[in-house]
Amino acid sequence: MDRRRFLVIIALIALVLVLAGCSVVFEAGISGKVVTASGTGTANVQDVSVFAYTDSSLRDSDFAKFQAGAITRPSEGSGYVATTNTNANGEFTVNKVVWETKKSEFGKTADVSKLYLIFYHEDYYPAKADATIISGSTNSSNVYVKLEASKEYTTLNITVYDVATGTAMTEACNLEYFVEGKEDSDSVVVTGGANIRISYPKGGTPNVMFKLTSPGSSWKMTDNTGTVIEHHVEEDVESGTLSVSLYMKRYEFVIPAFSGNVVFNSGDAPQLTVNTDPVNANDNVQVWLQYKKAGTADEWKDFDETKSANHMTYAVQTTTGNNIYYNHGQFSGVGNTDDYTVRINEESYSDSFDWTNYNGKNFSLNLRVVFGNEAIVKEFTYTNNSNTNLGNIDFTPAP
């Protein structure tokens, strides 16, 4: 063999070796669907994270971590190649998976490869699946996975009551609730009540703790007897629906507008007959409120707003046919008007109430109406259920 032919043969062998060592890059897509059991059938599962791997060992290692709750995202590594999420129909698509090989199944034109998948959603047990993909294809509907629910659900129908009245609160407060086993609490602003859906591990019966607060206001959380508590606990909550009653008690009292009529002498009756004087001794008399200092036998103090308002008794005229009548000694708005509001709390008029022993549902204030001077007074006890119309107050001397 001459030298020239030998060199040609060597060159051909080298070319073959070079071509044999070249790798080829392929790509493909894959799609599928994720469902869960629902009644006698199945339901689509939305927002499932689908993680695609080309390395089975890395996938299996990560899957064990997903099962243990150690991770919620894949580990970094060359074998993890893509991620996507299921839509409202439970469907997912990985548009493009690229791989390189020196030993393609069909030479340079096509190849077959494997994908290793993990499916993760916080409300279901993680699942895995293997899929065969063909290059240049979308591999449509190649995967069908059925997830098993990992959590139970309970709907809490919560009502927040004003413990004094037994009716739902009309003021907003913050409700913090903590499901046993969860690291963090959740909170929601409620006015009167709310429906809250909670979840917990399947088969569990957790305790749920509730805490009501109303920052900047005078409301405090209590039990149904009116005793202040830090929190309320519902024990052994099961799946389904649960009604929860919570209570708040107000630590501020607003004095209402008191009304009535007064008679200082029976000769000046509150209702007079036709053509009598429109004004008599029962009218134009100043009227205001005082309170008895808590813990004292007979120490009375003014509600300054009511005295400064200079409320006066007055006559009300009515006409029946040709007859004119006058109701004398009327009073109204004493304690609360458009011009002022008397608020009793632990800072304002705090000595009017025994806050230390305020353990029940209701409050009670010792008040009196003062007419003209402090020698003419009408004492009464006011609670949150009292009538604000004091009726006819008769100071007529005994015969």
Side-chain angles (χ1 to χ4, degrees), residues 53-124:
Y53 298 74
T54 55
D55 184 328
S56 62
S57 296
L58 180 59
R59 190 281 305 272
D60 290 343
S61 174
D62 275 0
F63 185 68
K65 296 174 184 177
F66 273 100
Q67 287 182 307
I71 60 173
T72 59
R73 295 285 302 175
S75 302
E76 294 297 328
S78 59
Y80 162 59
V81 294
T83 185
T84 188
N85 291 85
T86 58
N87 61 21
N89 297 319
E91 299 167 342
F92 71 91
T93 299
V94 178
N95 289 317
K96 193 176 189 180
V97 177
V98 179
W99 71 95
E100 182 180 17
T101 181
K102 295 179 181 179
K103 297 179 181 180
S104 58
E105 188 76 16
F106 306 106
K108 296 181 180 181
T109 58
D111 191 25
V112 176
S113 186
K114 295 279 286 187
L115 274 184
Y116 307 95
L117 306 172
I118 291 178
F119 300 85
Y120 172 76
H121 190 289
E122 64 177 357
D123 293 338
Y124 299 85

Coordinates of all heavy atoms in Angstrom, one line a residue, residues 53-124:
Y53 N -38.0 16.4 36.1 CA -36.6 16.0 36.3 C -36.2 15.0 35.1 O -37.0 14.3 34.6 CB -36.3 15.2 37.6 CG -36.6 16.0 38.8 CD1 -37.9 16.2 39.3 CD2 -35.6 16.4 39.7 CE1 -38.2 16.8 40.4 CE2 -35.8 17.0 40.9 CZ -37.1 17.2 41.3 OH -37.4 17.9 42.4
T54 N -34.9 15.1 34.7 CA -34.4 14.1 33.8 C -33.5 13.1 34.6 O -33.1 12.1 34.0 CB -33.5 14.8 32.7 OG1 -32.5 15.6 33.3 CG2 -34.4 15.7 31.8
D55 N -33.3 13.4 35.8 CA -32.4 12.5 36.7 C -33.3 11.8 37.7 O -33.9 12.5 38.6 CB -31.4 13.4 37.4 CG -30.4 12.5 38.2 OD1 -30.8 11.5 38.7 OD2 -29.2 12.9 38.3
S56 N -33.5 10.5 37.6 CA -34.4 9.8 38.4 C -34.0 9.8 39.9 O -34.7 9.8 40.8 CB -34.6 8.4 37.9 OG -33.4 7.7 37.9
S57 N -32.6 9.7 40.1 CA -32.1 9.7 41.4 C -32.4 11.0 42.2 O -32.8 11.0 43.4 CB -30.6 9.4 41.4 OG -30.3 8.1 40.9
L58 N -32.2 12.1 41.5 CA -32.5 13.4 42.1 C -34.0 13.5 42.4 O -34.4 14.0 43.5 CB -32.0 14.6 41.2 CG -32.2 16.0 41.7 CD1 -31.6 16.2 43.1 CD2 -31.8 17.0 40.7
R59 N -34.8 13.1 41.4 CA -36.2 13.2 41.7 C -36.6 12.3 42.9 O -37.4 12.8 43.8 CB -37.0 12.7 40.4 CG -38.5 12.9 40.4 CD -39.3 11.9 41.3 NE -39.1 10.5 40.9 CZ -39.7 9.9 40.0 NH1 -40.7 10.4 39.3 NH2 -39.4 8.6 39.7
D60 N -36.1 11.1 43.0 CA -36.5 10.3 44.1 C -36.0 10.8 45.4 O -36.7 10.7 46.5 CB -35.9 8.8 43.9 CG -36.6 8.1 42.8 OD1 -37.7 8.6 42.4 OD2 -36.1 7.1 42.2
S61 N -34.8 11.4 45.4 CA -34.3 12.0 46.6 C -35.2 13.2 47.1 O -35.5 13.3 48.3 CB -32.9 12.5 46.4 OG -32.4 13.2 47.5
D62 N -35.5 14.0 46.1 CA -36.4 15.2 46.4 C -37.8 14.7 46.9 O -38.4 15.3 47.8 CB -36.6 16.1 45.2 CG -35.4 17.1 45.1 OD1 -34.5 17.1 46.0 OD2 -35.4 17.9 44.2
F63 N -38.3 13.6 46.2 CA -39.7 13.2 46.6 C -39.7 12.8 48.0 O -40.7 13.0 48.7 CB -40.1 12.0 45.7 CG -41.5 11.6 45.9 CD1 -42.5 12.4 45.6 CD2 -41.7 10.3 46.5 CE1 -43.8 11.9 45.8 CE2 -43.0 9.9 46.7 CZ -44.1 10.7 46.4
A64 N -38.7 12.1 48.5 CA -38.6 11.7 49.9 C -38.7 12.9 50.8 O -39.3 12.9 51.9 CB -37.4 10.9 50.2
K65 N -38.0 14.0 50.4 CA -38.0 15.3 51.2 C -39.4 15.9 51.2 O -39.9 16.5 52.2 CB -37.0 16.2 50.7 CG -35.5 15.7 50.8 CD -34.5 16.6 50.2 CE -33.1 16.1 50.2 NZ -32.1 16.9 49.5
F66 N -40.1 15.9 50.0 CA -41.4 16.4 49.9 C -42.3 15.6 50.9 O -43.2 16.2 51.6 CB -42.0 16.3 48.5 CG -41.6 17.5 47.6 CD1 -40.6 17.4 46.7 CD2 -42.3 18.7 47.7 CE1 -40.2 18.4 45.9 CE2 -42.0 19.7 46.8 CZ -41.0 19.6 45.9
Q67 N -42.2 14.3 50.9 CA -43.1 13.5 51.7 C -42.8 13.8 53.2 O -43.8 13.8 54.0 CB -42.8 12.0 51.5 CG -43.4 11.5 50.2 CD -43.1 10.0 50.0 OE1 -41.9 9.6 50.1 NE2 -44.1 9.3 49.7
A68 N -41.6 14.1 53.6 CA -41.3 14.5 54.9 C -41.6 15.9 55.3 O -41.5 16.3 56.5 CB -39.8 14.2 55.2
G69 N -42.0 16.7 54.3 CA -42.3 18.1 54.6 C -41.1 19.0 54.7 O -41.2 20.1 55.2
A70 N -39.9 18.4 54.3 CA -38.7 19.2 54.5 C -38.5 20.3 53.4 O -37.8 21.3 53.6 CB -37.5 18.2 54.4
I71 N -39.1 20.1 52.2 CA -39.0 21.1 51.1 C -40.4 21.2 50.5 O -41.2 20.4 50.5 CB -38.0 20.7 50.1 CG1 -38.3 19.3 49.4 CG2 -36.6 20.6 50.7 CD1 -37.4 18.9 48.3
T72 N -40.5 22.4 49.8 CA -41.7 22.6 48.9 C -41.3 23.0 47.5 O -42.1 23.3 46.7 CB -42.6 23.7 49.5 OG1 -41.8 24.9 49.7 CG2 -43.1 23.3 50.9
R73 N -40.0 23.0 47.3 CA -39.4 23.3 46.0 C -38.3 22.3 45.7 O -37.7 21.8 46.7 CB -38.8 24.7 45.9 CG -39.8 25.8 46.1 CD -40.7 26.0 44.8 NE -39.8 26.3 43.7 CZ -40.3 26.4 42.4 NH1 -41.6 26.3 42.2 NH2 -39.5 26.7 41.4
P74 N -38.0 22.0 44.4 CA -36.9 21.1 44.2 C -35.5 21.5 44.6 O -35.3 22.7 44.7 CB -37.0 21.0 42.6 CG -38.3 21.4 42.2 CD -38.7 22.4 43.2
S75 N -34.7 20.6 44.8 CA -33.3 20.9 45.1 C -32.6 21.4 43.9 O -33.0 21.0 42.8 CB -32.5 19.7 45.7 OG -33.2 19.1 46.8
E76 N -31.6 22.2 44.0 CA -30.9 22.7 42.9 C -30.0 21.6 42.3 O -29.3 20.9 43.1 CB -30.0 23.9 43.2 CG -30.8 25.1 43.6 CD -31.6 25.7 42.5 OE1 -31.2 25.5 41.3 OE2 -32.7 26.2 42.7
G77 N -30.1 21.4 41.0 CA -29.2 20.3 40.4 C -29.5 20.2 38.9 O -30.6 20.7 38.4
S78 N -28.6 19.7 38.2 CA -28.7 19.6 36.8 C -29.8 18.7 36.3 O -30.3 18.8 35.2 CB -27.4 19.2 36.1 OG -27.0 17.9 36.6
G79 N -30.3 17.8 37.2 CA -31.4 16.9 36.8 C -32.7 17.5 36.9 O -33.7 16.9 36.4
Y80 N -32.9 18.6 37.5 CA -34.2 19.3 37.6 C -34.3 20.3 36.4 O -33.5 21.2 36.3 CB -34.4 20.0 38.9 CG -35.4 21.1 39.0 CD1 -36.8 20.7 38.7 CD2 -35.1 22.4 39.3 CE1 -37.7 21.7 38.8 CE2 -36.1 23.4 39.3 CZ -37.4 23.0 39.1 OH -38.4 24.0 39.1
V81 N -35.3 20.2 35.6 CA -35.3 20.9 34.3 C -36.4 21.9 34.1 O -36.3 22.8 33.3 CB -35.2 19.9 33.1 CG1 -33.9 19.2 33.1 CG2 -36.4 19.0 33.1
A82 N -37.6 21.7 34.7 CA -38.7 22.5 34.4 C -39.8 22.4 35.5 O -39.8 21.5 36.3 CB -39.3 22.1 33.1
T83 N -40.6 23.5 35.6 CA -41.7 23.5 36.5 C -42.9 24.2 35.8 O -42.7 25.0 35.0 CB -41.4 24.2 37.8 OG1 -42.5 24.1 38.7 CG2 -41.1 25.7 37.5
T84 N -44.1 23.8 36.2 CA -45.4 24.4 35.8 C -46.4 24.2 36.8 O -46.2 23.6 37.8 CB -45.8 23.9 34.4 OG1 -46.9 24.7 33.9 CG2 -46.2 22.4 34.5
N85 N -47.6 24.7 36.6 CA -48.8 24.6 37.5 C -50.0 24.2 36.7 O -50.2 24.5 35.6 CB -49.0 25.9 38.2 CG -48.0 26.2 39.2 OD1 -47.0 26.9 38.9 ND2 -48.1 25.8 40.5
T86 N -50.9 23.4 37.4 CA -52.1 23.0 36.8 C -53.1 24.2 36.7 O -53.1 25.1 37.6 CB -52.8 21.9 37.5 OG1 -53.0 22.3 38.9 CG2 -51.9 20.6 37.5
N87 N -54.0 24.2 35.7 CA -55.0 25.3 35.6 C -56.3 24.9 36.3 O -56.3 23.9 37.0 CB -55.2 25.6 34.1 CG -55.7 24.5 33.3 OD1 -56.2 23.5 33.8 ND2 -55.5 24.5 32.0
A88 N -57.3 25.6 36.0 CA -58.6 25.3 36.7 C -59.2 24.0 36.3 O -60.0 23.4 37.0 CB -59.6 26.5 36.3
N89 N -58.8 23.5 35.1 CA -59.2 22.1 34.7 C -58.3 21.0 35.2 O -58.4 19.9 34.8 CB -59.3 22.1 33.2 CG -60.4 23.1 32.7 OD1 -61.4 23.2 33.3 ND2 -60.1 23.8 31.6
G90 N -57.3 21.4 36.0 CA -56.3 20.4 36.5 C -55.3 20.0 35.4 O -54.5 19.1 35.7
E91 N -55.2 20.7 34.4 CA -54.3 20.4 33.3 C -53.0 21.1 33.4 O -52.9 22.3 33.9 CB -55.0 20.7 31.9 CG -56.3 20.0 31.7 CD -57.1 20.5 30.5 OE1 -56.8 21.7 30.1 OE2 -58.0 19.8 30.0
F92 N -51.9 20.5 32.9 CA -50.6 21.2 32.9 C -49.9 20.9 31.6 O -50.2 19.9 31.0 CB -49.8 20.7 34.1 CG -49.3 19.3 34.0 CD1 -48.1 19.0 33.4 CD2 -50.1 18.2 34.5 CE1 -47.6 17.7 33.3 CE2 -49.6 16.9 34.4 CZ -48.4 16.6 33.8
T93 N -48.9 21.8 31.3 CA -48.1 21.6 30.1 C -46.7 22.1 30.4 O -46.5 23.2 30.9 CB -48.7 22.4 28.9 OG1 -50.0 21.9 28.6 CG2 -47.8 22.2 27.7
V94 N -45.7 21.2 30.1 CA -44.3 21.6 30.1 C -44.0 21.8 28.6 O -43.9 20.8 27.9 CB -43.4 20.6 30.8 CG1 -42.0 21.0 30.7 CG2 -43.8 20.4 32.2
N95 N -43.8 23.0 28.2 CA -43.6 23.2 26.8 C -42.4 22.7 26.2 O -42.3 22.3 25.0 CB -43.7 24.8 26.5 CG -45.1 25.3 26.7 OD1 -46.1 24.6 26.3 ND2 -45.3 26.4 27.4
K96 N -41.3 22.8 26.9 CA -40.0 22.5 26.3 C -39.0 21.8 27.3 O -38.6 22.5 28.2 CB -39.4 23.7 25.7 CG -38.2 23.5 24.7 CD -37.8 24.9 24.2 CE -36.8 24.7 23.1 NZ -36.4 26.0 22.5
V97 N -38.7 20.6 27.0 CA -37.7 19.9 27.7 C -36.6 19.5 26.8 O -36.8 18.9 25.7 CB -38.2 18.6 28.4 CG1 -37.1 17.9 29.1 CG2 -39.3 18.9 29.4
V98 N -35.4 19.9 27.1 CA -34.2 19.7 26.1 C -33.2 18.7 26.7 O -33.0 18.8 27.9 CB -33.5 21.1 25.9 CG1 -32.3 20.9 25.0 CG2 -34.5 22.1 25.3
W99 N -32.8 17.8 25.9 CA -31.8 16.9 26.4 C -30.8 16.6 25.3 O -31.0 16.8 24.1 CB -32.4 15.6 26.9 CG -33.0 14.7 25.8 CD1 -32.4 13.6 25.2 CD2 -34.3 14.8 25.3 NE1 -33.3 13.0 24.3 CE2 -34.5 13.7 24.4 CE3 -35.4 15.6 25.5 CZ2 -35.6 13.5 23.7 CZ3 -36.6 15.4 24.8 CH2 -36.7 14.4 23.9
E100 N -29.6 16.2 25.7 CA -28.5 15.9 24.7 C -28.1 14.5 24.9 O -28.0 13.9 26.0 CB -27.3 16.8 25.1 CG -26.1 16.7 24.1 CD -25.0 17.6 24.5 OE1 -25.0 18.1 25.7 OE2 -24.1 17.8 23.7
T101 N -27.8 13.8 23.7 CA -27.4 12.4 23.8 C -26.5 12.1 22.6 O -26.5 12.7 21.6 CB -28.6 11.5 23.7 OG1 -28.1 10.1 23.8 CG2 -29.4 11.6 22.5
K102 N -25.6 11.1 22.8 CA -24.7 10.6 21.8 C -25.3 9.3 21.2 O -24.7 8.8 20.2 CB -23.3 10.4 22.3 CG -22.6 11.6 22.8 CD -21.2 11.3 23.3 CE -20.5 12.6 23.8 NZ -19.2 12.3 24.4
K103 N -26.3 8.8 21.8 CA -26.9 7.5 21.4 C -28.4 7.7 21.2 O -29.2 7.1 22.0 CB -26.5 6.4 22.4 CG -25.1 6.1 22.5 CD -24.8 5.0 23.6 CE -23.3 4.8 23.7 NZ -23.1 3.7 24.7
S104 N -28.8 8.5 20.3 CA -30.2 8.7 20.1 C -30.9 7.5 19.5 O -30.3 6.7 18.8 CB -30.4 9.9 19.1 OG -29.8 9.7 17.9
E105 N -32.1 7.3 19.8 CA -32.9 6.1 19.5 C -33.0 6.0 17.9 O -32.9 4.9 17.4 CB -34.2 6.1 20.1 CG -35.0 4.9 19.9 CD -34.6 3.8 20.8 OE1 -33.8 4.0 21.8 OE2 -34.9 2.6 20.6
F106 N -33.1 7.1 17.3 CA -33.3 7.1 15.8 C -32.3 8.0 15.1 O -32.7 8.8 14.3 CB -34.8 7.5 15.5 CG -35.8 6.7 16.2 CD1 -36.5 7.3 17.3 CD2 -36.1 5.4 15.8 CE1 -37.5 6.5 17.9 CE2 -37.1 4.7 16.5 CZ -37.7 5.2 17.5
G107 N -31.1 7.9 15.5 CA -30.0 8.7 14.9 C -30.2 10.2 15.2 O -30.6 10.6 16.3
K108 N -30.0 10.9 14.1 CA -30.1 12.4 14.3 C -31.5 12.9 14.2 O -31.7 14.1 14.5 CB -29.2 13.1 13.2 CG -27.7 12.8 13.3 CD -27.0 13.5 12.2 CE -25.5 13.2 12.3 NZ -24.8 14.0 11.2
T109 N -32.4 12.1 13.8 CA -33.8 12.6 13.5 C -34.7 12.6 14.8 O -35.6 13.4 14.9 CB -34.4 11.7 12.5 OG1 -34.5 10.3 12.9 CG2 -33.6 11.8 11.2
A110 N -34.5 11.6 15.7 CA -35.5 11.6 16.8 C -34.9 10.7 17.9 O -33.9 10.0 17.7 CB -36.8 10.9 16.4
D111 N -35.5 10.9 19.1 CA -35.0 10.2 20.3 C -36.2 10.0 21.3 O -37.2 10.7 21.2 CB -33.8 10.9 21.0 CG -33.1 10.1 22.0 OD1 -33.2 8.8 21.9 OD2 -32.6 10.6 23.0
V112 N -36.0 9.0 22.1 CA -37.0 8.8 23.2 C -36.2 9.0 24.5 O -35.1 8.5 24.7 CB -37.5 7.3 23.1 CG1 -38.4 7.1 24.3 CG2 -38.3 7.1 21.8
S113 N -36.9 9.7 25.5 CA -36.3 9.9 26.7 C -37.3 9.7 27.9 O -38.5 9.5 27.6 CB -35.7 11.3 26.8 OG -35.0 11.5 28.0
K114 N -36.9 9.8 29.1 CA -37.7 9.7 30.2 C -37.7 11.0 31.0 O -36.7 11.7 31.2 CB -37.2 8.6 31.2 CG -37.3 7.2 30.5 CD -38.7 6.6 30.6 CE -39.0 6.1 32.0 NZ -40.3 5.4 32.0
L115 N -38.9 11.3 31.5 CA -39.1 12.4 32.5 C -39.6 11.9 33.8 O -40.4 10.9 33.8 CB -40.1 13.5 32.0 CG -39.6 14.6 31.1 CD1 -40.7 15.5 30.8 CD2 -38.4 15.3 31.6
Y116 N -39.1 12.4 34.9 CA -39.5 12.0 36.2 C -40.1 13.2 36.9 O -39.5 14.2 37.1 CB -38.2 11.5 37.0 CG -37.5 10.5 36.2 CD1 -36.4 10.8 35.3 CD2 -37.9 9.1 36.2 CE1 -35.7 9.9 34.6 CE2 -37.2 8.2 35.4 CZ -36.1 8.6 34.6 OH -35.5 7.6 33.9
L117 N -41.4 13.0 37.3 CA -42.2 14.2 37.8 C -42.5 14.0 39.3 O -42.7 12.9 39.8 CB -43.5 14.2 37.0 CG -43.3 14.3 35.5 CD1 -44.7 14.1 34.8 CD2 -42.6 15.5 35.0
I118 N -42.7 15.2 39.9 CA -43.2 15.3 41.3 C -44.4 16.3 41.2 O -44.3 17.4 40.5 CB -42.1 15.9 42.2 CG1 -41.1 14.8 42.5 CG2 -42.8 16.2 43.6 CD1 -39.9 15.3 43.4
F119 N -45.5 16.0 41.9 CA -46.7 16.8 42.0 C -46.9 17.2 43.4 O -47.0 16.4 44.3 CB -47.9 16.0 41.5 CG -47.7 15.6 40.1 CD1 -47.1 14.4 39.8 CD2 -48.2 16.3 39.0 CE1 -47.0 13.9 38.5 CE2 -48.1 15.9 37.7 CZ -47.5 14.7 37.4
Y120 N -46.9 18.6 43.6 CA -47.0 19.1 45.0 C -48.1 20.1 45.1 O -48.2 21.0 44.3 CB -45.7 19.7 45.4 CG -45.8 20.4 46.8 CD1 -45.8 19.7 48.0 CD2 -45.9 21.8 46.9 CE1 -45.9 20.3 49.2 CE2 -46.0 22.4 48.1 CZ -46.0 21.7 49.2 OH -46.2 22.3 50.5
H121 N -48.9 20.0 46.2 CA -49.9 20.9 46.6 C -50.0 20.8 48.1 O -50.1 19.7 48.6 CB -51.2 20.7 45.9 CG -52.3 21.8 46.1 ND1 -52.9 22.0 47.3 CD2 -52.8 22.7 45.2 CE1 -53.7 23.0 47.1 NE2 -53.7 23.4 45.9
E122 N -50.1 22.0 48.8 CA -50.1 21.9 50.2 C -51.3 21.2 50.8 O -51.3 20.8 52.0 CB -50.1 23.4 50.8 CG -51.3 24.2 50.5 CD -51.2 25.6 51.1 OE1 -50.3 25.8 51.8 OE2 -52.2 26.4 50.9
D123 N -52.4 21.0 50.1 CA -53.6 20.3 50.6 C -53.6 18.8 50.3 O -54.6 18.2 50.6 CB -54.8 21.0 50.1 CG -55.0 22.4 50.7 OD1 -54.4 22.7 51.7 OD2 -55.7 23.2 50.1
Y124 N -52.6 18.3 49.6 CA -52.6 16.9 49.2 C -51.3 16.3 49.4 O -50.2 17.0 49.6 CB -52.9 16.8 47.6 CG -54.2 17.4 47.3 CD1 -54.4 18.8 47.0 CD2 -55.4 16.6 47.2 CE1 -55.6 19.3 46.7 CE2 -56.6 17.1 46.8 CZ -56.7 18.5 46.6 OH -58.0 19.0 46.2

